[in-house]
Amino acid sequence: MAEMLAMLQEFQKRKASKTSARSIAFQNQKNALFTNARKNAEKAIRSGTAAIEQARTTILDFKLQEVSQEGTLVSLKALLESQEDCVQGLLDNLNGVIEDLSHRRAKQIDEASAMRTSCSSRCAMFDAEYVPHS
């Protein structure tokens, strides 16, 4: 019976050592997975932080390039006023030319009308004397 008891204890020791070996292997795999996950998380944190910093830098660069609405509006108003002054000056200068042109044009039209009237009476006499050849 002592022999059987010794054999039973030996069997339990083997079973325990197998279980212990499996448990140790499992613990090693688990630790390796956790270590790998920590490394991946650290990489992700570093790359995320770098991306955020790069985005901040880009935003600051864009802000430096930004043009003020008020400044642009003031310069556009000044440009519009200058343009209006130029147009008004041109119109003031052209009013005299337009007046002179309209008087000359009216005179030319009156002369052409008088020529037509005088020509019409002469042409009527010419038409009366003219006999077409048949």
Side-chain angles (χ1 to χ4, degrees):
M1 175 114 161
E3 211 176 280
M4 202 174 237
L5 189 59
M7 210 159 64
L8 187 59
Q9 284 177 348
E10 185 65 30
F11 178 71
Q12 285 180 346
K13 282 182 188 179
R14 283 186 192 172
K15 192 175 178 184
S17 71
K18 281 184 182 178
T19 304
S20 177
R22 285 183 189 153
S23 179
I24 290 171
F26 175 75
Q27 288 297 326
N28 289 339
Q29 285 179 347
K30 182 179 81 168
N31 289 338
L33 285 174
F34 280 125
T35 303
N36 193 21
R38 283 187 194 102
K39 286 180 185 177
N40 290 340
E42 288 172 4
K43 284 181 189 177
I45 288 170
R46 278 194 297 273
S47 67
T49 303
I52 289 171
E53 289 303 317
Q54 184 179 5
R56 283 182 183 161
T57 304
T58 304
I59 289 171
L60 288 175
D61 289 344
F62 284 149
K63 283 193 179 206
L64 291 175
Q65 294 173 7
E66 201 171 72
V67 177
S68 165
Q69 255 186 330
E70 290 81 21
T72 304
L73 186 61
V74 167
S75 65
L76 286 176
K77 279 184 179 179
L79 182 64
L80 180 62
E81 288 172 3
S82 171
Q83 183 181 12
E84 285 177 357
D85 291 344
C86 287
V87 169
Q88 192 59 44
L90 284 172
L91 289 176
D92 291 344
N93 288 337
L94 291 178
N95 277 341
V97 173
I98 291 172
E99 288 289 325
D100 183 45
L101 183 65
S102 64
H103 289 301
R104 282 189 287 157
R105 183 72 179 144
K107 184 179 175 184
Q108 288 174 350
I109 290 172
D110 288 344
E111 288 174 0
S113 179
M115 280 176 50
R116 186 176 178 278
T117 305
S118 69
C119 181
S120 292
S121 60
R122 276 189 266 149
C123 287
M125 289 183 348
F126 178 74
D127 286 343
E129 291 176 6
Y130 176 73
V131 178
H133 299 295
S134 310

